[in-house]
Amino acid sequence: MSLLLIDIGNTRVKWARLVDGKMSPQQAAANAGWTAADYARRVIGNVWASGGKGIRSAAATVGVDASTTPSVARAVSRSAGAAANIASSRRSAAVDAEVTSARRSAVAASVSNRPQRAADIDVPTGTLAGDRIVVSSVAGDEVNRALTDAAAKAGAPTPEFVASERTAAGITTDYIDPWRLGVDRFVAAIGAHHLSSGQPVCVVNIGTAMTVDLIDGSGRHRGGAIVPGPALMVSSLLDQTNGIRRRAKGGPAGATGMFAKSTRNAIGEGARYAAAGVIDRALEEARILVGTRPLVILSGGGSVDIKPLIRSTCVSLPDLVLHGVAVWAHQSPSTVRRAPATGRPETAGTRQPTTTPTQGRQTSRSEGPQASRKRRPVV
């Protein structure tokens, strides 16, 4: 059994292969303007041209090596040094005592300075029939159609688009309307809960928007917050003001820090500290709800700049969404529903209140309104 896991965001596409429980390193690319041919060449490749027989060799070329890459959990349990590094990164012995081996796996994968290699995410093998392409996408109809067309042209399995729903893969969301929860947040919650092994976890994704989601130890998604990401904060100030925009151009930048000495740095540092402040406050609120301070997992391209400013202990896991997609795929059987004419894959963002099967694999019972074809940030 092998999976091609794909995470399509607002500006980038990320993907990895999962073969016999081993995940290859995540790959990523900016995908603005990509056609079906681009997705076929860059993401799907030609590994299905011979009925899928080439997928294992293709996975080997991107770093899957069972002899040199033990599972993260086993590596951590065998390495006293890794455990010591994790413990030293904790600011409280009480917090460290609560960390399970699975949580240590997530930390070890993120704190290592070595290039990340394939990780065992503990997805049992031998339980899924055949190869699959499983996708988390917030990019909209046009992009999803291009990916579906690319798979068809490559002779690959029809992509399955994950959709947010009330309960799936160990997660139950408190969202009033589950389909309104961005699918990237939904699968990130699945991945985080799986890695945390029953401990509360706060998932923070920092991109165009910054989202903060809380999942308690039972897998209940308690809700979340959405705020502009740091880059969006900066651009909104520059776009919506005249004086600030004029004063931010040129001149010396000065030292960084909360109290900047130039308008340019005041905007950038203000956005960074604002994002970090939201995260720290969210953790205080989370502790009230769940009775303990949760583990914090950071993902998204903007997390690198914000992590040093967060007062709470946190770890980075750039491929968290792909982990969640893999766990979801293991617990969700593959089903196909087709419509003869539309050629539109169905996702959480494209569904109508009434069920209208469309091309691509239907993966949820959730229903929602028609999404605009215009590519805009979806959270």
Side-chain angles (χ1 to χ4, degrees), residues 26-120:
Q26 174 181 279
Q27 300 183 69
N31 62 329
W34 276 22
T35 64
D38 294 314
Y39 285 102
R41 177 175 57 88
R42 298 287 302 276
V43 179
I44 296 176
N46 299 316
V47 296
W48 278 284
S50 59
K53 295 180 181 179
I55 191 168
R56 294 177 187 276
S57 59
T61 66
V62 292
V64 175
D65 184 349
S67 64
T68 59
T69 310
S71 74
V72 175
R74 288 194 294 272
V76 172
S77 66
R78 294 173 183 172
S79 173
N85 289 337
I86 295 167
S88 66
S89 71
R90 299 290 174 179
R91 300 181 181 178
S92 163
V95 173
D96 183 61
E98 295 174 355
V99 180
T100 64
S101 60
R103 293 174 75 184
R104 291 178 185 271
S105 301
V107 178
S110 63
V111 301
S112 174
N113 291 325
R114 299 186 302 273
Q116 185 177 355
R117 295 183 62 81
D120 181 351

Side-chain angles (χ1 to χ4, degrees), residues 302-338:
S303 61
V304 174
D305 292 332
I306 307 305
K307 184 178 179 180
L309 304 181
I310 301 172
R311 292 179 175 178
S312 304
T313 302
C314 54
V315 297
S316 298
L317 195 61
D319 56 357
L320 178 62
V321 169
L322 296 181
H323 278 260
V325 171
V327 175
W328 180 93
H330 166 61
Q331 300 190 22
S332 302
S334 174
T335 58
V336 181
R337 295 183 183 179
R338 298 177 183 274

